[in-house]
Amino acid sequence: MDDLLLWAVMAFVTAGLGLPVSRILPVRFAWRELLAPMFGTAILAVVVPLAYRLGVTMRIQLIAYVIIALVSAVLSLRARPIRFGRSTRYVAGIIVLGSLVLLLPRWTGGDQFAVFRGNQWDSYNYLESAIAFGEKPYAKVDRATQLDELRDPTLVIAKAQLPNRPSVHELYALFSRVAPGRAYRMQYAYLVFFMAQLALVALFALRNAVPHIHPGIACAIAWALPLGFWGQYILDIDAWSQVASASILFAVFALSLRAADELSASEARRLAIAIGFASAGAVYLYPEGLSIYLAATGPVVVVWIALGFLRARRAGAGMQWRRLIPLAGFSGIAAAVLSPDLVRLLLGQLSRGNSAAIDWWTYFQRFFIGRDDVWGSGFDRAADFVASTFGLYFLTPAGDGALATLQRVLILALIAGLVIAVVRMMLARDQPADRATSTAWAATSLLLLAPAAFLASKHSYWAAGKVVSFAAPVFVATLCLPIVRADRWRWFAAAFIAIQLCAGLVRIDAATWNDHIGYAKPYPGIQIPGLKQDIGWDLRRLEPYLDRRSKVTVFPTEPWSLSALICFLTARRIPYVLQNPVPTFPGGPDLGKMPMPWTPHTELSVHGSMIQIDFLDHRWPSVQIPTR
C-alpha cells in the first residue's frame, strides 16, 4: 500500500507540474502529454534543492507542489482536455500493466529483495542522506558539527552528499513525506517509477520518429527498455541518479533530433523551451550522463540541420536560420549556476576526467563474461561479451560443451540479424522517413558507445561499462526499430523485443531466488551473499514494539544491518543510542562514541535474521522478532 501511495503522489505531482510544459511543444508532436511526468521531474530536480537550500522543509515543499500541480493540471486540462479515444485507452492500459510488472518484484521478493540489490554501498549512501534531508532542515545538515553527527549518524553521510548532485536524494526525501515513517523501505518503488517514465518518453519518441508505428508495437519497444536486461541492470546496481535521469536523457536525445524537422519560428521556440527544461533537470540529476548524451547527440543534430540547410538552399528557400533556434534549449544547462556546489562538482569532473582505472567492474560488470562466469576461449569470451553488450546476457550459457557452443552461435546469429535489419532500414528507399530515423538513431547509438571503446583501451573498464549502460536505452531502441518494416528481417527485432519483455516477467519470480538475491553471479545481484542469506531486512515487524517514546540502545551489529536500523529508527523518529562507535560510513573509520542523553528503556540487538528486544522498564517481556 505504501508503494502505491508513493506512486500515486509522484505521478500526480510530476504530471501536474509537467503537463503545461509538455503542451509547450508544437501540436504536431503526437502524444506530447506522455512527457508530462518527465518534465515534472526535471522541474523538481532543480527547484527542490534550491528551495531546500533556502530553508523550505520537504514537508512544506510537498504540500506546495501538490497544490501547484492540482491548479496547473486543472487549468491546462480546462484549456485543452485530453480525448480518451480507443487508442488512448489502449495505450493507458498497457502503461498501467507495464508499471505493475515493474512493481511486482518488490512485492514477490519483499524487503529481503528490495532493500538493495547489487550495491549496498550506494543504496545506503542515498537512503541515509534522503532520510536526513526529509527530517532535518538544510542548515542543520550543512552546519552539522561532529557532536551533531555523533547524536544523529545520518548527518555524517548527508553532509558529505550535499555538494554531490543531491537532487535524487532530495526528491526521495520529498516524496517519502507521504509516509515518512516508512521512508526506510519505499526506495524500490521510488526508483521503478522513473523506469516507468523512461517507457513513457520512449513511447513519445517512437510515435513521432515513426508516425505509422502501431501503438501496440510502440508500447512493446518502450517497455522493452526498462523491463529488459539493461533496465534491470541500472536498477540492480542501485544507481539512483542514473535511474532517475534515464528518462530525461532519452528525452534530450528525442527532442534534439526533432530540431531537424521543418518547424516554423514559433514551433522552433517552443521546442527550444522544452529542451531547456529537460537539459536543466538532467544537469542537476546526473551531469555525467548529460555530457555523454550531448557529445553524442550534438554532432548528429548539427549534421541533420546542415542537411536541412542544403535542401532548403537547393529549393531556393534561403538559409532558414530558424532551424538553429531549438539548439538554444541547451542553455538550460546554465541552471547549474544557481547551485554553487553543482558548479564546483562539474569543474572538478572536468579537471579530473572520469577515466581512472578502478576495479569496481570486477563485481558490477563481470557479467560481460557471460553466465558461466568463466573467461573461456577466444570464441566463448567474444560471444559472451557481444551478447551481454546487446542486452542478451540472460541467454548466454551457464555451462560448457557442444550445447553451449550452439547456444552462443544462435545468439550471434540473432545479433547479426538485428544489425542487418537496422542497416537495411537505413538503406531502404521506399520509406525515406524511416530511413532518416534509423540512421539518426543508429548514428547516435554509435557515438554514445564510442567513449566506451576509448575508455576500455585505457583499461578504465568500470567507466567504459557505465558508458555502455548510459547508451543502452537508445541502443536497444535502435535495435528494435526494424520491427516496423514489412520484410522478413523484422522477425529478428520481434524476437529481440520478446526476449527483453520476457526478462521483465522472469524478474517477478527471480526476486525470490537465491535467498532473495535474485540472479546468480556474475550478475551483480549482490557481492556479499551472506548479507541476504544470513540477515533479515523486513523491519516492519519492529513497528508495534517501538515508538517515539521509546529510548533505544543498539548493541553492536554487522555494519549494513546497523545502517538499516539507523534508517528505520530515524524515519520512525525513535530516539536511539549506538553502543558501538559511530562509523563515518558502513565499515569505515569511527567518528566517536554517541553521547548518552537519557536512561534507555529498550535494548535492541541483531542476531542474523532475528532481532531481540529487551524492555528494561518491563513493559513487555523480551521478544525475538524474525525479520525475514
Side-chain angles (χ1 to χ4, degrees), residues 193-336:
F193 177 83
F194 295 120
M195 301 307 291
Q197 275 191 14
L198 175 60
L200 298 184
V201 174
L203 266 174
F204 165 83
L206 290 162
R207 177 65 177 80
N208 288 277
V210 189
H212 61 86
I213 193 171
H214 186 277
I217 292 176
C219 288
I221 298 175
W223 282 106
L225 306 185
L227 293 177
F229 169 78
W230 280 111
Q232 294 189 42
Y233 169 77
I234 65 171
L235 192 63
D236 286 344
I237 61 170
D238 296 278
W240 285 31
S241 291
Q242 185 176 356
V243 170
S245 64
S247 61
I248 301 179
L249 294 177
F250 201 98
V252 169
F253 153 75
L255 292 173
S256 298
L257 293 186
R258 298 271 63 85
D261 291 355
E262 289 287 345
L263 303 173
S264 67
S266 174
E267 290 175 327
R269 287 193 294 270
R270 288 169 170 264
L271 179 58
I273 293 172
I275 293 174
F277 275 97
S279 58
V283 77
Y284 269 76
L285 275 172
Y286 210 28
E288 300 95 322
L290 179 62
S291 63
I292 292 171
Y293 266 74
L294 292 181
T297 304
V300 177
V301 173
V302 168
V303 169
W304 248 236
I305 291 176
L307 291 175
F309 276 140
L310 290 175
R311 287 193 296 269
R313 190 170 183 178
R314 289 172 182 172
M319 290 300 289
Q320 297 184 337
W321 294 107
R322 67 177 180 275
R323 292 177 179 271
L324 297 177
I325 294 176
L327 300 182
F330 293 111
S331 62
I333 298 170

Side-chain angles (χ1 to χ4, degrees), residues 471-496:
V474 177
F475 180 47
V476 170
T478 302
L479 296 175
C480 297
L481 280 179
I483 197 174
V484 303
R485 299 280 300 164
D487 64 23
R488 64 182 182 275
W489 296 96
R490 73 181 184 275
W491 295 111
F492 287 93
F496 180 71

Side-chain angles (χ1 to χ4, degrees), residues 16 79 84 108 132 192 203 209 313 344 363 365 372 378 415 436 465 467 527:
F84 287 94
T108 57
V192 295
L203 266 174
R313 190 170 183 178
R344 284 192 289 269
Y363 38 88
Q365 294 160 351
D372 59 0
I415 292 171
V467 169
Q527 302 311 315

Side-chain angles (χ1 to χ4, degrees), residues 73-74 108 163 228 242 252 296 369 396 513 534 590-591:
V74 169
T108 57
Q242 185 176 356
V252 169
I369 67 175
T396 58
W513 298 352
D534 305 328
D590 294 335
L591 187 66

